[in-house]
Amino acid sequence: MASILKVDTLTGNTTAKTVTVTVGASATQSLETGLVKAWINANTGSSPATNDSFNFSSITDNADGDESFNFTNNMANDDFAVGGMAKSQDSAGTRMAALNFHANGGLSGAIGTSFYRLNMHYANTTLRHCNLTTTFAIGDLA
């Protein structure tokens, strides 16, 4: 007979952040490690606007196609993973924009515990505002 567990909080017995779950037949993983820590769906045009999000406090429009995504709750370090997609803001049809970390200023200018900075561009490297940008972060919260 299947059981239903209803709780408001899960806390590890040994340490508060350690909750292990069984995945598949016998593999286990940390529940916290497997969760997305922040995600956002936004219009990153000339006046960035969030459509929906989790754990993002704001978007900084640094220049055309150059946006910083700022966390509400910081990450533990700058070793977290980032992914995402974007659609350019133009009338030339549907074009996907490539996302990459901001190149100027070294690693500290591209990713930190409180933010990450992405450039959105076409294959010709022209930075573009995007009317749809979705991105997320996976890693450990501070």
Side-chain angles (χ1 to χ4, degrees):
M1 176 175 180
S3 298
I4 297 174
L5 175 65
K6 294 183 178 184
V7 297
D8 292 324
T9 304
L10 287 176
T11 303
N13 189 38
T14 306
T15 59
K17 291 175 62 173
T18 305
V19 176
T20 303
V21 294
T22 302
V23 183
S26 61
T28 61
Q29 77 174 36
S30 165
L31 179 63
E32 181 193 10
T33 301
L35 299 175
V36 172
K37 300 310 186 302
W39 60 264
I40 192 167
N41 176 310
N43 178 334
T44 53
S46 56
S47 298
T50 300
N51 298 321
D52 199 2
S53 70
F54 172 71
N55 197 27
F56 280 102
S57 59
S58 64
I59 303 167
T60 304
D61 184 23
N62 302 301
D64 286 358
D66 180 0
E67 316 294 337
S68 293
F69 296 87
N70 307 297
F71 297 120
T72 303
N73 298 297
N74 288 353
M75 302 300 279
N77 53 49
D78 62 4
D79 297 332
F80 57 91
V82 172
M85 297 179 73
K87 187 242 178 255
S88 69
Q89 180 177 313
D90 63 25
S91 58
T94 301
R95 296 195 226 182
M96 295 305 288
L99 293 177
N100 63 276
F101 285 114
H102 182 69
N104 298 332
L107 185 59
S108 64
I111 191 168
T113 58
S114 63
F115 79 101
Y116 57 91
R117 186 171 176 178
L118 297 178
N119 289 157
M120 297 113 196
H121 60 86
Y122 292 148
N124 66 3
T125 69
T126 301
L127 293 177
R128 295 282 201 176
H129 280 307
C130 293
N131 57 10
L132 176 61
T133 301
T134 61
T135 183
F136 58 88
I138 301 172
D140 294 330
L141 288 174

